Amino acid sequence: MERPTNNIKNPKIRAYMEAVTEGISPDEKLTAEEYEEGINQFVDGMDAALAQADEMIARTKLGEVPEAVSFSYIAKKYFGKSRGWLMQKINGNLVNGKPASFTATERIQFRQALLDISNKLSAAARNF
């Protein structure tokens, strides 16, 4: 997972923020403007790291489901997309230089798809 300081472009600000996050007293002081810039970029980095962690947790929660259920079927039936599109979202693959991820709406849609399939499997098991 990337560090929250990776997106800080200014080396002086990056060194300062890395020192602070490691509990070390920074070698140099920053101006108020540099400090504000560093904080804003650090927060952006934290947001990115949290999003990345959230995606990793989502993939872990799926467990063996990708092996047991046709993701091609889910992609086509519930999203009108290809299996590759769905797997990019699930695996966080880089697309146009950015990691693919579900939007909030797509995440709900995926959850509903899994619940629908779960209900179908339960009904089939009861009727077998």
Side-chain angles (χ1 to χ4, degrees):
M1 189 168 343
E2 288 195 30
R3 295 174 54 117
T5 54
N6 284 358
N7 68 318
I8 299 174
K9 306 297 182 234
N10 183 316
K12 178 182 173 186
I13 297 172
R14 178 186 274 202
Y16 181 92
M17 295 309 241
E18 286 177 349
V20 169
T21 59
E22 292 172 12
I24 300 169
S25 184
D27 293 334
E28 294 185 56
K29 298 279 185 197
L30 298 179
T31 66
E33 292 80 18
E34 289 172 326
Y35 184 78
E36 183 177 356
E37 178 184 341
I39 290 293
N40 289 335
Q41 291 175 0
F42 183 81
V43 168
D44 291 345
M46 284 299 297
D47 288 343
L50 289 171
Q52 188 178 17
D54 189 41
E55 289 300 317
M56 291 170 68
I57 290 167
R59 285 191 297 279
T60 302
K61 286 180 180 179
L62 286 174
E64 295 179 14
V65 171
E67 297 167 17
V69 176
S70 169
F71 276 33
S72 180
Y73 172 82
I74 292 172
K76 183 177 258 183
K77 178 167 175 68
Y78 297 95
F79 293 96
K81 304 281 186 179
S82 69
R83 179 184 186 279
W85 174 88
L86 182 59
M87 294 312 292
Q88 285 177 340
K89 298 278 188 166
I90 290 169
N91 294 323
N93 295 355
L94 289 181
V95 177
N96 297 325
K98 296 180 183 176
S101 63
F102 287 108
T103 65
T105 302
E106 289 169 342
R107 186 177 287 271
I108 291 167
Q109 193 173 354
F110 186 67
R111 184 179 299 125
Q112 293 294 48
L114 292 174
L115 288 170
D116 187 43
I117 291 169
S118 170
N119 290 335
K120 289 177 182 179
L121 288 171
S122 293
R126 282 191 304 273
N127 294 327
F128 188 72

